[in-house]
């Protein structure tokens, strides 16, 4: 039996896709082995969000070749889309699949393995029936180059892909070039995937996409239609939305979520800058006043005394071209004084060839970016400590995960506070009410 190992870089969408490739390869008769094992095929799902991610991808490809120089390496993901010819030159690389070709990964690799197997046989032998294509990613439900995907790595929580691509073309971002235009599968197909997840015993789904709230463009449906349909899936008890643009998280959606649904008080929202000057130059579709009023609206609708508060995780880019110290301090002050999120995901700006921001002459020095990242990370730590502290003595609901470390297990409350307790296998996948 041929063995295949997987490595994923980047976002949750990539993890959902890799997990789906893995299930489909296993269905086709391959054995999935741990990364680091001596496999026949290495599949690497890459990321191109920063220069650093691209470097990491090249290193992983080289490592895979060192692990087994006879193995065939398959590369896909955003870096594969953007730098196909560079990757093809790396030793051991057999296939590179860009964004438009992802649904062909399993059939192509299986066809290749079948043809290799047949050419290894003595001439008199009967040709084996091709193992290719059965149960591959090329499912009848597939919609163009968009295929259903969900992760199964963690037994209690699954990332379900509902949307791919983006039409926003923010000034710093390569994602629309790497993943293509915004598109989605119909609600009914996604619900069918959620039912499969529920049947596997998983209790929580994280709704995942590139520009998740843009859902519905290619099917004429609305994001809220999807949320309502998913809410009815038996067996799934909790949903989170992995990341949503502030302009797409409408009051209608917030009102519905707050009306007693399975959707948790946890939002991951990209801000990117707390300066209106920088937001305009980034090409973002809101200003700080709109952002702040959205956060206030959510808090008013969803927070009640004695109940868990809403966890806001906010993305911020430090050191966008032209960001002076004063403009950066606008961001810092906006987060510290006006938004006060539970967590800030800070990214130093990374110059990506082909984007508008990369052309600018007023790039910020790396040392300045590093200092700004540090300042925001320190702010994030203190805001997070304060958020957790404000829940002391409150009763929350924790979904415990399966892994054990030093005799302990962990899980997350509805509002994403990580909680630990002594390991008890009986609690895996269970939602337990406990005092924080
Ligand atoms: S919304 Fe902007 S930052 Fe997000 S994927 Fe689209 S272009 Fe990139």
């Amino acid at each position: 039996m041929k063995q295949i190992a997987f490595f994923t870089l980047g976002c949750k969408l990539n993890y959902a896709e890799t997990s789906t490739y893995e299930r489909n390869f296993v269905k086709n008769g391959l054995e999935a082995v741990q990364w680091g094992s001596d496999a026949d095929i290495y599949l690497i799902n890459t990321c191109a969000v920063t220069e650093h991610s691209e470097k990491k991808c090249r290193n992983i490809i080289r490592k895979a070749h060192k692990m087994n120089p006879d193995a065939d390496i398959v590369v896909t993901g955003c870096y594969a889309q953007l730098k196909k010819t560079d990757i093809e030159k790396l030793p051991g690389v057999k296939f590179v699949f860009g964004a438009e070709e992802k649904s062909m990964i399993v059939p192509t690799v299986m066809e290749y393995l079948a043809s290799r197997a047949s050419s290894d046989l003595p001439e008199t032998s009967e040709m084996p029936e091709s193992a290719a294509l059965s149960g591959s990613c090329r499912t009848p439900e597939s919609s163009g180059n968009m295929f259903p995907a969900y992760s199964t790595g963690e037994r209690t929580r699954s990332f379900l892909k509902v949307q791919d691509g983006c039409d926003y073309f923010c000034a710093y971002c390569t994602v629309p070039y790497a993943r293509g235009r915004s598109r989605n599968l119909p609600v009914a197909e996604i619900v069918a995937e959620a039912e499969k997840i529920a049947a596997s015993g998983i209790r929580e789904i994280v709704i995942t996409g590139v520009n998740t709230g843009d859902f519905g463009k290619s099917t004429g449906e609305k994001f809220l239609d999807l949320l309502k349909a998913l809410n009815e899936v038996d067996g799934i008890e909790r949903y989170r939305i992995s990341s949503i643009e502030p302009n797409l998280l409408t009051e209608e959606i917030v009102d519905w979520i707050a009306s007693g649904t399975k959707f948790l008080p946890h939002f991951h929202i990209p801000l990117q800058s707390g300066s209106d000057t920088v937001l305009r130059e980034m090409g973002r579709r809101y200003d700080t006043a709109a952002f702040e009023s959205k956060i206030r609206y959510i808090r008013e609708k969803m927070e009640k005394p004695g109940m868990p508060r809403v966890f806001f995780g906010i993305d911020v880019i430090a050191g966008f071209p032209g960001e002076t110290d004063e403009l950066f301090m606008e961001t810092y002050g906006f987060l510290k004084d006006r938004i006060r999120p539970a967590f800030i995901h800070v990214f130093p700006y990374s110059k990506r060839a082909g984007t508008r921001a990369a052309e600018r002459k007023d790039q910020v020095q790396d040392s300045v970016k590093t200092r700004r990242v540090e300042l925001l990370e320190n702010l994030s730590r203190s805001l997070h400590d304060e958020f957790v502290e404000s829940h002391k003595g409150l009763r929350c609901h924790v979904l415990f995960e399966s892994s054990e470390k030093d005799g302990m297990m962990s899980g997350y409350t509805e509002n994403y506070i990580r909680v630990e307790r002594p390991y008890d296998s009986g609690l895996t996948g269970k939602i337990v009410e406990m005092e924080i």
Side-chain angles (χ1 to χ4, degrees):
M1 189 189 274
K2 294 281 181 197
Q3 296 182 320
I4 182 163
F6 300 86
F7 196 95
T8 309
L9 292 128
C11 61
K12 288 164 186 155
L13 212 51
N14 271 10
Y15 283 87
E17 288 177 351
T18 304
S19 208
T20 303
Y21 302 139
E22 179 174 337
R23 283 193 300 279
N24 285 322
F25 274 119
V26 169
K27 260 193 228 162
N28 275 275
L30 298 199
E31 184 192 356
V33 294
Q34 287 286 325
W35 185 260
S37 316
D38 201 5
D40 302 291
I41 307 270
Y42 293 109
L43 189 148
I44 301 164
N45 198 353
T46 62
C47 171
V49 78
T50 62
E51 223 174 310
H52 179 70
S53 359
E54 291 192 354
K55 198 169 157 201
K56 215 164 153 190
C57 295
R58 290 192 295 274
N59 285 341
I60 294 295
I61 295 169
R62 286 195 194 97
K63 260 192 199 147
H65 183 60
K66 260 196 204 147
M67 279 191 287
N68 179 7
D70 295 328
D72 291 305
I73 300 174
V74 180
V75 186
T76 185
C78 290
Y79 183 47
Q81 171 69 25
L82 297 174
K83 301 281 172 66
K84 190 168 184 160
T85 41
D86 293 0
I87 298 171
E88 278 167 349
K89 289 181 200 139
L90 295 174
V93 173
K94 179 74 193 170
F95 295 109
V96 183
F97 293 95
E100 302 290 320
E101 301 145 349
K102 284 182 196 170
S103 58
M104 295 306 296
I105 293 176
V106 179
T108 309
V109 172
M110 292 312 300
E111 234 161 74
Y112 162 72
L113 290 175
S115 69
R116 258 188 41 175
S118 61
S119 65
D120 287 348
L121 291 173
E123 270 178 11
T124 48
S125 297
E126 212 172 280
M127 286 281 183
E129 188 83 351
S130 168
L133 307 184
S134 63
S136 74
C137 280
R138 215 160 47 179
T139 61
E141 315 91 38
S142 292
S143 154
N145 63 354
M146 170 89 190
F147 60 91
Y150 63 86
S151 70
T152 38
E154 170 53 60
R155 277 161 42 202
T156 50
R157 191 154 42 129
S158 175
F159 295 100
L160 171 64
K161 173 178 165 181
V162 304
Q163 182 274 346
D164 203 345
C166 183
D167 296 339
Y168 276 23
F169 292 91
C170 298
Y172 50 83
C173 184
T174 49
V175 167
Y177 310 101
R179 282 194 170 263
R181 309 294 294 199
S182 179
R183 60 204 183 276
N184 59 279
L185 290 169
V187 169
E189 284 184 27
I190 294 171
V191 167
E193 293 299 294
E195 284 166 351
K196 282 187 215 160
I197 295 171
S200 73
I202 290 172
R203 292 288 152 258
E204 183 176 304
I205 285 181
V206 183
I207 294 174
T208 307
V210 170
N211 189 343
T212 316
D214 208 32
F215 178 92
K217 270 218 169 134
S218 51
T219 55
E221 294 162 302
K222 290 201 313 191
F223 187 49
L224 186 52
D225 299 335
L226 173 70
L227 303 188
K228 286 180 176 172
L230 286 173
N231 201 52
E232 299 304 315
V233 173
D234 285 340
I236 301 297
E237 295 174 43
R238 318 208 297 184
Y239 287 97
R240 300 178 198 271
I241 301 170
S242 81
S243 174
I244 182 162
E245 289 290 309
N247 50 308
L248 298 175
L249 183 54
T250 60
E251 292 186 358
E252 190 189 10
I253 292 175
V254 175
D255 291 348
W256 178 77
I257 288 178
S259 70
T261 64
K262 297 177 184 172
F263 284 77
L264 300 180
H266 172 198
F267 295 98
H268 180 172
I269 308 182
L271 167 67
Q272 311 307 19
S273 173
S275 148
D276 286 328
T277 311
V278 178
L279 283 178
R280 257 192 317 275
E281 290 174 7
M282 285 176 162
R284 304 289 291 162
R285 302 188 176 201
Y286 51 86
D287 58 15
T288 51
F291 191 94
E292 186 181 356
S293 105
K294 191 60 60 74
I295 299 291
R296 195 179 318 117
Y297 188 82
I298 297 169
R299 283 188 168 132
E300 276 167 20
K301 286 283 166 175
M302 296 185 68
E303 291 190 341
K304 308 254 167 355
M307 301 281 287
R309 292 166 54 205
V310 179
F311 183 107
F312 288 104
I314 303 290
D315 291 342
V316 176
I317 295 173
F320 183 77
E323 187 189 66
T324 59
D325 281 343
E326 290 71 31
L327 294 175
F328 169 72
M329 287 315 292
E330 283 181 28
T331 295
Y332 188 89
F334 183 66
L335 288 163
K336 179 170 164 289
D337 303 327
R338 319 283 312 169
I339 303 299
R340 301 195 70 75
F343 191 79
I344 309 170
H345 304 262
V346 193
F347 304 91
Y349 167 75
S350 178
K351 190 172 164 184
R352 315 303 298 126
T355 59
R356 299 194 297 289
E359 306 294 311
R360 290 181 57 155
K361 299 280 171 278
D362 49 357
Q363 299 288 326
V364 174
Q365 276 178 13
D366 283 349
S367 58
V368 175
K369 283 186 217 164
T370 307
R371 191 161 42 80
R372 290 177 188 171
V373 167
E374 263 172 34
L375 279 170
L376 287 172
E377 283 178 345
N378 288 341
L379 174 62
S380 177
R381 264 189 291 277
S382 76
L383 289 169
H384 189 257
D385 289 350
E386 182 191 296
F387 182 78
V388 173
E389 194 58 33
S390 71
H391 285 77
K392 284 274 146 66
L394 268 191
R395 296 193 74 75
C396 293
H397 298 85
V398 183
L399 174 58
F400 281 102
E401 297 180 356
S402 52
S403 47
E404 176 184 2
K405 200 174 172 219
D406 303 328
M408 301 295 280
M409 70 195 305
S410 64
Y412 287 92
T413 63
E414 52 271 69
N415 61 345
Y416 211 57
I417 295 176
R418 190 167 177 275
V419 174
E420 279 196 333
R421 56 150 290 142
Y423 185 74
D424 173 352
S425 61
L427 292 183
T428 295
K430 298 262 168 22
I431 296 174
V432 179
E433 188 182 341
M434 59 187 284
E435 191 176 310
I436 302 293

